[in-house]
Amino acid sequence: MGMWGKRDDMVVHQQEPFNAEPPGGALAGARITDVDTFYSRSHGPVPRLDPADWRLTVDGLVAHPLRLSLAELRDRFEETGATVTLQCAGNRRAGLMTVRDIPGETPWGPGAASTARFHGVRLADVLAHAGVAPEAAHIAFHAPDVSPSADPPQPYDVSVPRERATEPDVLLAWAMNGAPLPDVHGAPLRVVVPGWIGARSVKWLTRVTARTTPSDGYFQTTAYRLPPDEAGTEGVALGPFPLNCAVLTPQDGALVAPGPVEVTGYALAGQGRTVARVEVSTDGGRAWSRAALDEPAGPGVWQQWHITLDLPSGDADVLARAWDTTGAGMPASPASLWNPKGYVNTSWPRVRLRVR
């Protein structure tokens, strides 16, 4: 096993903070990602929290502030579970880096997305018990991991709008794929916000705060925003992730034999949506063939797809594209999406195969 119990072939972009993704083949065809394969995105050293001493504080604009142990969360609130795809906002950033370099950012491939079955309690139930004040418009999540990349270095703190936080699919989760959360994935408790960028599904949760305004933490006010230009520090805070698609196998640069070649990947839409169609092209996008697409496990959960292509000898560029249930599609070129942080590459994925 590799670091933090991960498989040996993980692509480790950084050891501290630990940032790693699996090779594409490890995700292909798997609706649920094994814990040892699930990508890891960290902003600071992984904190070690003793579940026996840990408490969750619920405060801010609430009538009844709470301080809850894991046992109290289990006893007081109804347990529930959900299959959820988490995706880093920088997923597929490497494709944007082929357009223009993005210094200081992790060159994520398509593996910064994974799906697991999470169990815990509904955040809405806990907030209702605390009695959130009418004027509270945002719910902030605080964790003790200190990020050296923040300016100044500070613990992780972000928020989501109250209307999202109180929807029944948002979880306070203590289990992942039927086992307690591993340390690297947020033990003893994390937030899970389906259909939103992974940065809002806060790990190592210690505090939930009802506020009138969004979190004033670095990762809310500065990071995870899509700036309008290279000089701008203001921009749109990223939330629901948009339609995306990836080719998992064969990987870019792979050598394959002429004839039938199976191509696999995943596609996912954001909150409340599913993928309607995936197509693949080998002639630069002039002609497209429809791929077989798995049924979704729920809105915002990835769907695996596959297609068999008959490839002649030579080099082949394989393109893929998807549409969701609203009719939204994907832009063709990463050049149209390039931004100084390399967020949200939703352009058509492309892999070049050597067919010999």
Side-chain angles (χ1 to χ4, degrees), residues 21-110:
E21 65 181 300
L27 297 175
R31 297 194 179 197
I32 299 294
T33 310
D34 291 338
V35 173
D36 70 348
T37 304
F38 206 101
Y39 84 96
S40 179
R41 173 66 173 110
S42 302
H43 296 87
V46 173
R48 302 280 193 160
L49 304 179
D50 185 346
D53 296 332
W54 171 92
R55 296 293 185 271
L56 176 67
T57 298
V58 182
D59 62 7
L61 297 173
V62 298
H64 311 289
L66 304 174
R67 185 169 169 81
L68 301 166
S69 67
L70 275 179
E72 288 169 328
L73 276 172
R74 291 175 181 271
D75 291 344
R76 295 188 189 182
F77 304 99
E78 179 186 16
E79 183 173 344
T80 188
T83 300
V84 179
T85 297
L86 296 181
Q87 178 183 216
C88 177
N91 189 37
R92 301 185 54 224
R93 180 182 283 131
L96 297 181
M97 289 177 163
T98 64
V99 176
R100 183 176 168 188
D101 191 25
I102 306 174
E105 297 296 334
T106 302
W108 293 105

Side-chain angles (χ1 to χ4, degrees), residues 278-351:
V278 173
E279 293 180 334
V280 175
S281 175
T282 58
D283 63 0
R286 291 184 295 276
W288 296 86
S289 299
R290 188 167 184 170
L293 180 67
D294 286 353
E295 290 296 317
V301 180
W302 72 9
Q303 295 162 248
Q304 298 279 330
W305 58 264
H306 62 90
I307 189 172
T308 300
L309 303 175
D310 190 13
L311 298 180
S313 295
D315 290 339
D317 283 345
V318 177
L319 301 172
R321 65 183 183 183
W323 284 266
D324 68 19
T325 46
T326 70
M330 299 169 60
S333 170
S336 65
L337 297 172
W338 190 94
N339 60 86
K341 297 295 288 183
Y343 293 141
V344 197
N345 180 13
T346 59
S347 63
W348 298 349
R350 177 192 300 263
V351 297

Side-chain angles (χ1 to χ4, degrees), residues 203-277:
K203 296 178 285 187
W204 312 296
L205 185 68
T206 56
R207 186 181 298 271
V208 174
T209 302
R211 302 167 49 105
T212 58
T213 59
S215 166
D216 52 11
Y218 173 85
F219 291 99
Q220 185 79 29
T221 61
T222 303
Y224 295 110
R225 303 180 75 88
L226 198 58
D229 55 49
E230 293 180 56
T233 57
E234 298 296 326
V236 177
L238 298 174
F241 55 65
L243 176 69
N244 212 335
C245 175
V247 176
L248 295 175
T249 62
Q251 292 184 300
D252 189 45
L255 176 65
V256 300
V261 175
E262 185 178 46
V263 179
T264 70
Y266 66 75
L268 69 160
Q271 179 187 354
R273 295 171 283 123
T274 58
V275 177
R277 184 183 181 111

